[in-house]
Amino acid sequence: MKIDEKYDFVICGGGATGLLLSNSLISDSFFDNKKVLVIEKEIKIENDRTFSFWDNQKNILDKIVFKSWGKAEFKDMEFSSSFSLKPYKYKMVRSDKFYSFMKRKIEKASNFTYLNANVENIIKESGINYIETDKGNFQCSIAFSSIYNPEEFEFKKYPLIKQHFLGWTIETHEDFFDEDKIRFMDFSIDQHQEIRFMYVLPFSKKSALFEYTFFGGEVMKNSDYENEIKKYLDREGIKKYKIAEIEKGVIPMTCYPFFNANTDSFIRIGTSGGWTKPSTGYTIKNSIEKIDMILKFIKEDKPLSKLRFKNRFWYYDVLFLDVLVDSKGKGSRVFSDLFRNNDPLLLFKFLGEKTNIFEEIRIFVSVNIMTFVKSLIKRVKSVYLKDFLRN
């Protein structure tokens, strides 16, 4: 194989996680003398998605946050709760601003190269990687890959739920929205024996994103999502509006241990690395924290194969996904129990993996415990028995 160029690091995939990793390398003077290649097949300039997260600390994304909110709301058929998010803020970043911001930083970094190309193969050998693309072949000491191909994996032992959605950003003629309060989950819609909810982010009194979201089931035709959004808007009394933007996506929610493929010279990142929070589908905040862990290992010359991304929250997520799969379309009751019986801020803390064991026990006993016990019994009969007993 003819090698066109040698690098210290190659980042395969210039989506959210690949660009966040690039930013962290650029921002740390320790890596100033490292030669880095970023490979991305698409020319990313449009607002093809939005990145949302909650936080009570500053990070690099604060510079490009499009909108933040201090209040939230949860609804189901019989229950509604509005609450302050303090000390958190719920934040949203538009992908077009994110891409342009990160790419400008890469362009200014003399040790970085950005290449629009398709990665065709990654050959992993001891201490070295060969990256084959349609625009050349490259060698590196450490390769990071966010390329996700579900056909590579056998999910039989691990639940896989597709979170799929379509959203409209609309503009109205009249004031309709509380611009400081998100509708985090609204289950007061027909569930159709599945897990469906509406997610609403108001940008102003006259503009908001309405996202019709599924946990599970197959991806539908665009018109099916859009008809449900129309019905919801009509129910909300919103008759006259203009559709300003449309976004659609599919997020895999799974506890598959993608990280088992990691070596001292090859690391899966982002969704491909199992960094998407299995129980919620949120990725970007997890990525920031895990990138910090990886770079700390590199700087301290620790073997990357020793990185452990599996903690007790991973086991909670396995069980939670089992419950959703076993619920036969009644999983919305689990979310309702959680928000009815707990301080919402405790739930956000738990979903952010910041709770202690006593807080977690309080959360577990607040739901229909037999639902979880049944799924737990099924799970402990599987390959996880030893791991559950050990933890």
Side-chain angles (χ1 to χ4, degrees):
M1 180 197 307
K2 176 179 176 290
I3 299 299
D4 295 283
E5 195 79 41
K6 294 182 180 180
Y7 292 88
D8 294 294
F9 305 145
V10 172
I11 301 172
C12 301
T17 306
L19 293 177
L20 284 170
L21 174 58
S22 299
N23 174 76
S24 293
L25 291 169
I26 292 168
S27 302
D28 192 330
S29 59
F30 181 88
F31 300 101
D32 284 352
N33 64 343
K34 299 296 183 182
K35 192 176 177 183
V36 184
L37 173 65
V38 182
I39 307 173
E40 168 56 41
K41 67 178 180 179
E42 298 176 357
I43 298 175
K44 292 181 173 290
I45 56 174
E46 297 180 352
N47 185 50
D48 56 355
R49 68 196 65 198
T50 55
F51 307 119
S52 298
F53 60 100
W54 59 91
D55 204 354
N56 59 354
Q57 297 177 337
K58 291 184 178 181
N59 62 55
I60 182 62
L61 297 177
D62 287 333
K63 295 180 179 180
I64 49 173
V65 164
F66 176 72
K67 174 73 176 171
S68 64
W69 297 266
K71 296 182 292 183
E73 180 181 26
F74 175 89
K75 295 181 71 174
D76 63 20
M77 292 290 190
E78 302 171 345
F79 172 74
S80 177
S81 173
S82 293
F83 48 91
S84 169
L85 290 169
K86 192 174 182 179
Y88 299 104
K89 280 282 190 179
Y90 194 86
K91 303 172 183 179
M92 192 205 83
V93 173
R94 288 173 56 94
S95 59
D96 54 351
K97 300 297 183 185
F98 176 85
Y99 296 144
S100 61
F101 175 78
M102 294 299 182
K103 285 181 183 177
R104 283 196 301 270
K105 297 195 73 172
I106 291 174
E107 288 169 359
K108 293 177 181 177
S110 60
N111 59 325
F112 266 71
T113 300
Y114 188 94
L115 176 67
N116 278 122
N118 185 48
V119 174
E120 297 175 338
N121 192 24
I122 301 175
I123 301 171
K124 301 179 281 290
E125 296 185 0
S126 180
I128 198 167
N129 300 277
Y130 300 99
I131 317 297
E132 299 178 346
T133 80
D134 56 359
K135 293 186 179 178
N137 302 316
F138 309 97
Q139 178 183 316
C140 65
S141 300
I142 301 178
F144 305 92
S145 178
S146 64
I147 299 171
Y148 175 70
N149 180 8
E151 295 178 0
E152 293 180 19
F153 310 104
E154 174 56 66
F155 290 99
K156 186 175 180 181
K157 296 178 182 178
Y158 304 89
L160 170 64
I161 295 177
K162 294 178 183 176
Q163 179 186 149
H164 48 106
F165 56 86
L166 185 143
W168 282 356
T169 295
I170 67 165
E171 296 172 354
T172 62
H173 299 291
E174 302 176 26
D175 292 351
F176 274 103
F177 311 115
D178 179 347
E179 55 191 317
D180 192 41
K181 182 168 72 175
I182 68 168
R183 192 164 290 176
F184 186 62
M185 286 177 159
D186 185 352
F187 287 102
S188 66
I189 58 177
D190 195 334
Q191 296 295 293
H192 298 282
Q193 296 301 306
E194 294 177 308
I195 305 171
R196 306 184 178 196
F197 62 92
M198 194 67 75
Y199 168 71
V200 184
L201 299 181
F203 304 134
S204 70
K205 288 181 172 61
K206 296 181 179 179
S207 177
L209 168 66
F210 286 79
E211 205 163 81
Y212 189 62
T213 306
F214 288 68
F215 282 175
E218 293 304 315
V219 177
M220 305 188 303
K221 296 182 297 184
N222 285 7
S223 59
D224 293 330
Y225 300 91
E226 292 172 335
N227 287 336
E228 295 298 331
I229 296 175
K230 289 175 186 176
K231 285 165 50 177
Y232 190 85
L233 292 173
D234 187 64
R235 192 188 80 177
E236 294 289 300
I238 303 173
K239 311 291 186 182
K240 295 181 179 181
Y241 55 87
K242 180 180 73 173
I243 302 171
E245 288 183 319
I246 299 175
E247 68 173 64
K248 185 178 182 180
V250 181
I251 301 171
M253 297 165 62
T254 180
C255 287
Y256 187 92
F258 300 99
F259 40 76
N260 284 348
N262 293 346
T263 70
D264 289 339
S265 58
F266 175 80
I267 297 287
R268 290 187 178 276
I269 62 175
T271 297
S272 174
W275 294 5
T276 297
K277 177 71 173 169
S279 54
T280 64
Y282 287 84
T283 306
I284 201 158
K285 186 65 167 49
N286 270 1
S287 294
I288 293 173
E289 295 175 355
K290 287 177 170 53
I291 287 169
D292 288 344
M293 292 171 58
I294 289 172
L295 298 194
K296 187 172 186 290
F297 263 60
I298 293 175
K299 291 166 70 172
E300 295 177 358
D301 200 26
K302 293 181 178 178
L304 293 176
S305 59
K306 301 298 183 182
L307 266 170
R308 291 290 174 263
F309 295 121
K310 189 188 291 188
N311 55 23
R312 69 180 185 277
F313 293 96
W314 182 87
Y315 293 98
Y316 299 157
D317 284 333
V318 170
L319 183 57
F320 186 74
L321 291 184
D322 283 343
V323 168
L324 294 186
V325 170
D326 295 339
S327 70
K328 308 299 182 184
K330 298 179 181 179
S332 62
R333 294 180 182 177
V334 177
F335 292 98
S336 294
D337 284 347
L338 287 170
F339 276 90
R340 280 173 184 264
N341 301 322
N342 292 281
D343 180 344
L345 293 183
L346 178 61
L347 297 179
F348 278 85
K349 185 179 179 183
F350 173 68
L351 294 174
E353 303 187 357
K354 303 300 181 185
T355 46
N356 59 49
I357 190 67
F358 300 105
E359 291 171 321
E360 291 148 24
I361 291 172
R362 190 191 318 166
I363 291 171
F364 298 147
V365 299
S366 72
V367 299
N368 183 343
I369 195 66
M370 287 309 300
T371 302
F372 283 83
V373 169
K374 290 176 182 177
S375 293
L376 179 61
I377 290 172
K378 287 180 62 177
R379 177 55 57 182
V380 297
K381 291 178 180 178
S382 73
V383 294
Y384 299 114
L385 179 58
K386 291 181 180 178
D387 281 338
F388 268 100
L389 294 176
R390 190 183 303 125
N391 286 271

